[in-house]
């Protein structure tokens, strides 16, 4: 992929550094798609301590069930802040040249959703339709051919995008990657069987196919991963049955944000009572681009009427749907194949299987909730959930995964779930590694108790994904004049806690990480084998 960048040319002296990067066709590296917020120190509770004591041969099922029931009973409302609408989309755009200028081909892929959106349309000189589409998608990056910077000057299209979306990253690649033949090959290879008819729709859409080829090639380069064969839902989008709302109109009506840039006091914030990230994204898309097809509108109104009339159905659906994880993101992770296998990819596979098991266990309750529905849309969902493949997949997972394995909130809780996900007595080395991990975790608690008794300090055990296990002391229980003994290292204040560690804890954390790495690698072997 090194040839994706064109040969560097010395740009004119009046071109800025940002423009020079684009001229040289250098890929702009955005921030990784991870939560940059700091982990809050978690207090070492009895439930997490009990879960750490599980050995490979004897798992504490009572602890498992107590935490699982607590997790299942809590259904929280989605926040009105658009965290689930975070920018994880990449869009490729190409415009016709000569007499075809104004013909736009566009392809969009969401890293957290295995759906490829394709479209081709004739736009005005002000690119109004393209602006509406980009405002709905809000992509992280826009990939364009390097011919958008002809002879050191930007084309009207790229200037318009920069004018309307100044915070959007624009990346240029060589024009040869916008290849319609390669784009059609990608569609034939990656499109799921249920959506194969899209090949007929796009077979003559030159610019749409060209954008598709460049987008998937750029995704492969950027994410260092490829999609599995027949794994993508590919949809050709038309604007015939949707309402076009310009950016100015959306801003003046405060549809998704108010004039202060906040989402709490706008239409989106008021209506957002969604329970899943997917529902959050769908609500935002429908506010910015609502359907104008009468049948679609009437079908949705009929669904609302039935939910109002059947109050029990409404609360049952709300209870079940609120337990789902981000299903679209889960599917995307399952169909992306990393080019390099490492500990992190193995850990991700285990987490995916646990989340998949959690999701499949919710299919039957959701299916039962929809059994009494009379609306056509609900009946369609009921038939989809009746697919026997859900049960077969669940049986396949149960061959390897422990019955009590659950998706849980919290880094430490998920470490425990991933560590003991594979059933015991399948592999002796795996059981030994898990026993060593449990003993190391128990040693952490013993060390902190000894220090607490030795120095007469109110010590607690904390955990974060970055630091591992550490010691925390509530500020209100520690005298301001009292200095900590020299045995405590890396002393910092975090909110209402004093955090620190010791040499023994640092060594134990290293040992725990090594044990976890061994467990993940051996567990991944059984997933691949099965």
């Amino acid at each position: 992929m090194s040839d994706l960048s064109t040969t560097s040319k010395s740009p004119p002296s009046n071109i800025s550094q940002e423009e020079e990067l684009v001229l040289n066709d250098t890929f702009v590296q955005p921030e990784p798609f991870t939560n940059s917020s700091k982990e809050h120190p978690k207090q070492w509770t009895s439930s997490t301590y009990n879960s750490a004591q599980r050995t490979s041969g004897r798992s504490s099922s009572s602890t498992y069930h107590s935490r699982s029931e607590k997790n299942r009973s809590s259904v929280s409302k989605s926040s009105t802040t658009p965290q689930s609408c975070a920018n994880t989309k990449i869009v490729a755009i190409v415009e016709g040249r000569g007499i075809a200028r104004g013909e736009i081909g566009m392809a969009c892929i969401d890293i957290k959703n295995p759906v490829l959106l394709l479209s081709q349309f004739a736009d005005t000189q002000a690119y109004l339709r393209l602006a509406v589409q980009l405002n709905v998608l809000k992509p992280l990056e826009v990939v364009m051919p390097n011919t958008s910077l002809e002879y050191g000057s930007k084309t009207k299209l790229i200037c318009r995008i920069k004018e309307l979306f100044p915070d959007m990253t624009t990346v240029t690649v060589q024009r040869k990657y916008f290849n319609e033949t390669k784009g059609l090959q990608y569609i034939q290879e990656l499109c799921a069987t249920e959506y194969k008819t899209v090949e007929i729709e796009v077979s003559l859409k030159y610019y749409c196919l060209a954008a598709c080829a460049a987008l998937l090639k750029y995704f492969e380069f950027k994410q260092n991963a490829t999609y599995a064969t027949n794994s993508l839902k590919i949809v050709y989008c038309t604007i015939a049955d949707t309402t076009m709302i310009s950016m100015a109109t959306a801003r003046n009506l405060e549809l998704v944000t108010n004039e202060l840039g906040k989402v709490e006091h706008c239409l989106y914030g008021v209506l957002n009572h969604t329970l899943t990230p997917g529902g959050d994204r769908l609500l935002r898309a429908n506010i910015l681009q609502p359907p104008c097809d009468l049948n679609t509108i009437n079908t949705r109104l009929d669904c609302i009427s039935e939910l109002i009339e059947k109050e029990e159905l409404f609360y049952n659906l709300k209870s079940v749907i609120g337990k789902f994880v981000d299903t679209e993101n889960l599917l995307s992770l399952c169909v992306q194949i990393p080019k390099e296998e490492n500990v992190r990819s193995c850990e991700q596979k285990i987490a995916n299987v646990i989340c998949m098991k959690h999701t499949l266990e919710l299919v039957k309750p959701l299916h039962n909730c929809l059994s009494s529905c009379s609306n056509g849309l609900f009946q369609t969902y009921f038939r989809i959930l009746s697919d026997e493949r859900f049960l077969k997949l669940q049986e396949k997972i149960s061959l390897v995964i422990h019955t009590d394995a659950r998706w849980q909130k919290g880094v430490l809780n998920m470490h425990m779930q991933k560590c003991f996900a594979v059933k015991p007595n399948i592999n002796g080395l795996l059981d030994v590694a898990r026993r060593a991990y449990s003993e190391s975790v128990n040693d952490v608690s013993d060390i902190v108790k000894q220090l607490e008794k030795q120095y007469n300090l109110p010590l607690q055990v904390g955990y974060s994904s970055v630091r591992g296990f550490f010691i925390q002391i509530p500020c209100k229980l520690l005298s301001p004049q009292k200095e900590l003994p020299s045995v405590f290292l890396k002393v910092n204040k975090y909110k209402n806690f004093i955090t620190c560690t010791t040499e023994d804890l640092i060594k134990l954390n290293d040992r725990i990480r090594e044990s976890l790495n061994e467990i993940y690698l051996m567990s991944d072997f059984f997933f691949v084998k099965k």
Side-chain angles (χ1 to χ4, degrees), residues 350 353-354 357 397-403 405 421-423 527:
I350 301 171
V353 175
I354 293 175
K357 177 180 179 293
I397 292 176
S398 64
L399 295 176
V400 178
I401 297 298
H402 199 288
T403 308
V422 177
K423 289 182 176 180
F527 293 147

Side-chain angles (χ1 to χ4, degrees), residues 27-30 90 141 217-225:
F27 285 112
V28 181
Q29 298 292 336
I90 304 175
E141 290 181 307
K217 193 68 175 177
Y218 181 74
F219 171 86
E220 181 181 345
F221 167 79
K222 193 62 177 292
Q223 297 299 119
N224 197 28

Side-chain angles (χ1 to χ4, degrees), residues 307-358:
L307 291 175
I308 294 174
E309 294 171 0
K310 300 178 180 179
E311 187 175 345
E312 184 179 358
L313 171 64
F314 171 76
Y315 285 107
N316 288 340
L317 285 175
K318 183 178 179 181
S319 176
V320 175
I321 291 175
K323 299 172 186 176
F324 277 87
V325 297
D326 192 347
T327 310
E328 294 174 347
N329 185 27
L330 174 61
L331 291 175
S332 182
L333 292 172
C334 290
V335 300
Q336 291 179 15
I337 304 174
K339 291 185 176 180
E340 296 179 0
E341 292 289 347
N342 50 37
V343 175
R344 186 174 181 180
S345 63
C346 294
E347 180 184 1
Q348 186 63 59
K349 287 181 187 178
I350 301 171
N352 292 345
V353 175
I354 293 175
C355 290
M356 183 68 72
K357 177 180 179 293
H358 171 82

Side-chain angles (χ1 to χ4, degrees), residues 392-411:
K392 292 180 180 179
L393 185 57
Q394 192 172 358
E395 292 174 352
K396 192 77 172 178
I397 292 176
S398 64
L399 295 176
V400 178
I401 297 298
H402 199 288
T403 308
D404 294 327
R406 294 285 186 274
W407 173 83
Q408 292 184 340
K409 294 182 180 180
V411 180

Side-chain angles (χ1 to χ4, degrees), residues 396-494:
K396 192 77 172 178
I397 292 176
S398 64
L399 295 176
V400 178
I401 297 298
H402 199 288
T403 308
D404 294 327
R406 294 285 186 274
W407 173 83
Q408 292 184 340
K409 294 182 180 180
V411 180
L412 182 58
N413 287 337
M414 277 308 296
H415 272 319
M416 293 296 176
Q417 298 296 331
K418 289 181 285 189
C419 180
F420 296 95
V422 177
K423 289 182 176 180
N425 303 322
I426 292 181
N427 181 275
L429 293 177
L430 178 59
D431 293 343
V432 171
R434 292 195 289 203
R435 191 174 296 112
Y437 171 77
S438 298
E439 291 173 355
S440 298
V441 172
N442 291 338
D443 290 342
V444 171
S445 180
D446 294 339
I447 288 176
V448 175
K449 286 181 180 179
Q450 291 175 4
L451 293 172
E452 182 179 18
K453 185 177 181 180
Q454 181 179 354
Y455 296 102
N456 193 24
L457 291 171
L459 305 182
Q460 300 173 355
V461 179
Y463 183 84
S464 73
S465 58
V466 178
R467 298 181 60 180
F469 290 100
F470 60 91
I471 299 172
Q472 58 184 16
I473 309 171
C475 294
K476 61 181 180 180
L477 301 180
L478 186 66
S479 175
Q481 292 79 18
K482 188 172 183 178
E483 293 186 1
L484 293 177
S486 59
V487 68
F488 297 102
L489 309 175
K490 300 181 181 179
V491 180
N492 293 305
K493 183 177 180 181
Y494 182 82

Side-chain angles (χ1 to χ4, degrees), residues 126-136 160 164-165 243-256 287-290:
Y127 301 103
L128 296 178
R129 292 182 177 178
L130 178 61
V132 170
Q133 295 295 323
L134 292 178
N135 190 40
V136 174
R160 184 63 174 165
L164 296 175
F165 307 96
T243 305
M244 286 187 59
I245 300 178
S246 66
M247 291 181 59
T249 303
R251 182 173 58 252
N252 294 334
L253 294 178
E254 297 186 347
L255 296 183
V256 294
I287 289 176
L288 288 174
Q289 201 171 35

